């Protein structure tokens, strides 16, 4: 397992798959073992994927300072990986909550980013929150599913502020375009992959400065793609367009029939959309 040492001495592990030009990959969760990304539906046929295990997850070490789980503090880990690989500039892909880490990196190191891909990303770093109304819009799209009644009841309990662990499990089908055997296996493998303590610190108040981030990304000359799933509850396609509009060279695309894990819902379409952008 290849490793590097970050600026504070924490040992970071990363996984290398595929062939072609390098693409650095950041997982979501927040703070989930990057194993859930796999090779992103075969994207490794187009690029060499360098998939980072964030500190405290996967094969990476536990930091001495728990406050370093903050998203803004982990920007240094992404920069350490870039330097370790000897790359002057990087193509950077991030999924879900990893989108905020990638955005923070691009704001701090705009001259180091060649292309930025945000896959069904969180956009809190830009001051864009996902509203209950937007989530309900995504939920309503699944009304014809056999699991809908049970899942929407769980969603309602969460929205009311009194969820149980069973409720959180109950809404998982909403995050997949098809709740088939492959999706169920992927969801089951994800149990226990998330570092709960680190996740609580990832979005510390001190890590957020949306006005400053918006100002900083105005200097980002790199093309940016935000990919949203047609069926995802967050972000919705309109939210992705709102986020893309904040980047000088931002664009958004909607993958039909996909939810929060578009490479699982339709690997061929996902890899085509991403590979086309990377050309």
């Amino acid at each position: 397992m290849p490793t590097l040492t970050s600026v504070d001495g924490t040992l970071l592990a990363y996984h290398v798959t595929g062939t072609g030009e390098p693409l650095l990959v950041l997982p979501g969760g927040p703070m989930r073992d990057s194993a859930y990304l796999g090779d992103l539906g075969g994207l490794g046929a187009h690029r060499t994927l360098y998939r980072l295990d964030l500190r405290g997850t996967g094969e990476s070490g536990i930091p001495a300072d728990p406050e370093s789980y903050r998203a803004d503090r982990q920007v240094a880990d992404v920069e350490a990986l870039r330097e370790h690989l000897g790359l002057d500039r990087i193509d950077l892909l991030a999924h879900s909550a990893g989108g905020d880490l990638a955005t923070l990196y691009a704001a701090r190191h705009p001259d180091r980013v060649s292309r930025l891909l945000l896959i069904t990303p969180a956009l809190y770093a830009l001051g864009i929150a996902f509203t209950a109304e937007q989530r309900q819009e995504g939920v309503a799209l699944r009304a014809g599913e056999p699991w809908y009644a049970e899942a929407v009841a769980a969603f309602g309990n969460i929205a009311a502020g009194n969820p149980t662990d069973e409720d959180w499990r109950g809404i998982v089908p909403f995050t997949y375009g098809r709740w088939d055997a492959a999706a169920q296996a992927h969801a089951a493998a994800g149990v226990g992959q998330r570092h709960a303590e680190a996740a609580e610190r990832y979005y510390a108040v001190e890590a957020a400065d949306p006005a400053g981030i918006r100002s900083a990304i105005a200097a980002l000359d790199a093309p940016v793609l935000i990919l949203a799933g047609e069926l995802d509850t967050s972000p919705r396609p309109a939210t992705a367009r709102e986020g893309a509009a904040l980047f000088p060279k931002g664009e958004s695309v909607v993958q039909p029939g996909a939810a929060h894990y578009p490479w699982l819902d339709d690997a061929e379409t996902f890899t085509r959309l991403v590979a086309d952008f990377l050309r």
Side-chain angles (χ1 to χ4, degrees):
M1 180 63 59
T3 61
L4 68 143
T5 302
S6 193
V7 291
D8 66 349
T10 301
L11 190 69
L12 302 176
Y14 61 97
H15 308 259
V16 185
T17 58
T19 184
E21 294 297 313
L23 176 64
L24 274 60
V25 178
L26 305 179
M31 301 306 293
R32 184 173 174 181
D33 185 337
S34 73
Y36 82 95
L37 295 166
D39 74 341
L40 289 169
L43 189 58
H46 303 271
R47 285 298 188 99
T48 300
L49 309 181
Y50 290 84
R51 196 184 76 219
L52 180 65
D53 283 345
L54 303 184
R55 53 181 51 220
T57 70
E59 302 294 331
S60 288
I62 303 292
D65 179 9
E67 290 301 316
S68 68
Y69 288 130
R70 283 173 28 179
D72 61 328
R73 297 274 297 272
Q74 293 192 66
V75 168
D77 293 347
V78 182
E79 177 65 355
L81 178 58
R82 181 197 67 78
E83 292 180 342
H84 172 77
L85 296 175
L87 301 173
D88 182 59
R89 303 182 75 195
I90 58 173
D91 290 339
L92 182 63
L93 179 151
H95 174 243
S96 192
D100 279 326
L101 175 55
T103 299
L104 291 168
Y105 179 85
R108 193 176 302 175
H109 301 285
D111 58 328
R112 295 301 187 184
V113 179
S114 293
R115 295 181 185 84
L116 178 63
L117 299 98
L118 305 178
I119 308 301
T120 60
L123 299 167
Y124 301 119
L126 296 172
I128 299 175
F130 304 146
T131 68
E133 291 76 16
Q134 290 168 339
R135 294 180 192 275
Q136 288 285 2
E137 177 186 287
V139 166
L141 294 174
R142 317 302 293 277
E145 300 284 0
W147 45 262
Y148 178 78
E150 183 178 348
V152 79
F155 187 89
N157 291 336
I158 293 170
N162 57 346
T164 65
D165 289 344
E166 185 176 352
D167 289 326
W168 287 111
R169 290 191 292 271
I171 66 169
V172 170
F174 285 118
T175 61
Y176 295 89
R178 297 186 310 276
W179 188 234
D180 56 13
Q184 292 172 41
H186 185 263
V191 176
Q193 286 184 332
R194 188 166 174 262
H195 189 313
E197 178 193 358
E200 290 177 0
R201 296 177 185 271
Y202 186 82
Y203 281 122
V205 174
E206 297 86 349
D209 177 20
I213 298 303
R214 289 186 182 214
S215 176
I217 63 170
L220 183 65
D221 189 49
V224 177
L225 177 68
I226 298 183
L227 188 152
E230 177 191 15
L231 304 177
D232 201 1
T233 60
S234 54
R236 298 294 302 135
T239 317
R241 289 194 295 271
E242 180 184 357
L246 297 176
F247 293 92
K249 295 183 178 179
E251 62 180 296
S252 66
V253 65
V254 179
Q255 182 172 323
H260 203 59
Y261 303 97
W263 65 92
L264 292 174
D265 297 325
D266 182 350
E268 182 178 355
T269 297
F270 175 78
T271 55
R272 174 177 56 79
L273 290 171
V274 173
D276 285 349
F277 175 76
L278 288 170
R279 285 198 180 96

